[in-house]
Amino acid sequence: MGTDIHGFVECTDSWGDEPWSAAIDLGLLYGGRDYDAFGCLFGVRNFAGFRPLAEGRGLPEDVAPAVREEFAGWGRDAHGATWIGWAELKRVDWSEPAERVDARIHEYRRTPDGWVMTGKAAWSPRVAEVAGLNRRRDPGRLVRYEEHEWPEGTEWPDGDDLRYRVERMTRRGAVPPDGAWKPVWTVMETLAALHGDENVRLTVWFDC
């Protein structure tokens, strides 16, 4: 079962004397399920090994009532509640690499335009075979990639048109500037231009 994100862009006025309000439901701006972004931003499903920007902060003490009510409606299914402000997001170094190599092996295929990444996985019998792994170390238990410490850049060719590679991601690779999060950042930037960087934040939680 996968993990999904929920939440709201919140805003208050320029003087900070009004309660925070739920400006827009995150689901209207972002409908993806991207674990690289979840890990980079919030430390959830952090297979790529990032230092999360905003992990486990909980709901803001002054969270908008509508946001608190929506969160409460998820009951015990909700977890990982946290938030991050626009001022903090503006200071992010998107070129920063993850703290370790990705726990998943990256797959590349040769195309007329060169090598293109076509996927990555935490386990593949084919990669295990090409990498020379014993598929079973203990009876009934598969050996997983993260139990090995392959150096960054380790690569295994699989014929002429396929290869597998150990890589370390950057924040920009996890959250591309023109990717699925762009509408979220655009709305936050617009509200910040009207009300101030410190008066706009993204409050989120996860289920499953």
Side-chain angles (χ1 to χ4, degrees):
M1 185 175 293
T3 296
D4 293 309
I5 191 171
H6 311 274
F8 289 82
V9 175
E10 294 186 280
C11 186
T12 186
D13 66 19
S14 305
W15 300 275
D17 56 4
E18 291 291 331
W20 285 81
S21 62
I24 186 168
D25 191 315
L26 178 62
L28 297 174
L29 303 172
Y30 177 82
R33 179 191 281 177
D34 189 332
Y35 294 161
D36 291 333
F38 294 175
C40 171
L41 298 171
F42 308 116
V44 172
R45 297 281 187 167
N46 193 11
F47 301 115
F50 286 104
R51 175 184 62 81
L53 296 178
E55 181 179 17
R57 295 177 175 177
L59 295 181
E61 291 185 4
D62 53 357
V63 67
V67 179
R68 188 182 298 279
E69 181 179 357
E70 179 70 16
F71 174 77
W74 283 89
R76 299 179 65 178
D77 290 335
H79 66 89
T82 192
W83 61 272
I84 189 168
W86 180 245
E88 186 176 357
L89 281 165
K90 285 181 64 176
R91 296 192 297 268
V92 173
D93 175 7
W94 295 103
S95 67
E96 181 183 352
E99 295 183 310
R100 58 167 173 79
V101 297
D102 197 334
R104 299 153 300 177
I105 303 298
H106 295 215
E107 177 187 283
Y108 286 82
R109 291 186 180 272
R110 189 194 299 273
T111 73
D113 298 321
W115 290 95
V116 175
M117 194 180 81
T118 54
K120 51 189 172 182
W123 176 255
S124 161
R126 180 57 183 167
V127 175
E129 180 179 350
V130 173
L133 296 180
N134 294 322
R135 291 194 58 190
R136 295 185 183 275
R137 178 178 298 169
D138 298 320
R141 189 174 73 87
L142 285 173
V143 178
R144 299 185 66 80
Y145 299 146
E146 57 264 34
E147 297 178 33
H148 299 267
E149 295 183 0
W150 289 309
E152 182 179 357
T154 300
E155 189 171 282
W156 302 276
D158 188 0
D160 295 332
D161 298 321
L162 186 63
R163 63 178 59 169
Y164 308 104
R165 185 175 174 84
V166 177
E167 295 192 349
R168 185 189 306 264
M169 296 190 67
T170 65
R171 294 197 187 280
R172 185 176 292 109
V175 190
D178 293 324
W181 285 86
K182 184 177 181 179
V184 183
W185 307 151
T186 299
V187 167
M188 294 182 73
E189 184 177 32
T190 300
L191 290 171
L194 295 170
H195 303 288
D197 292 349
E198 300 292 342
N199 296 318
V200 179
R201 69 191 177 205
L202 175 63
T203 299
V204 302
W205 60 90
F206 299 84
D207 74 277
C208 300

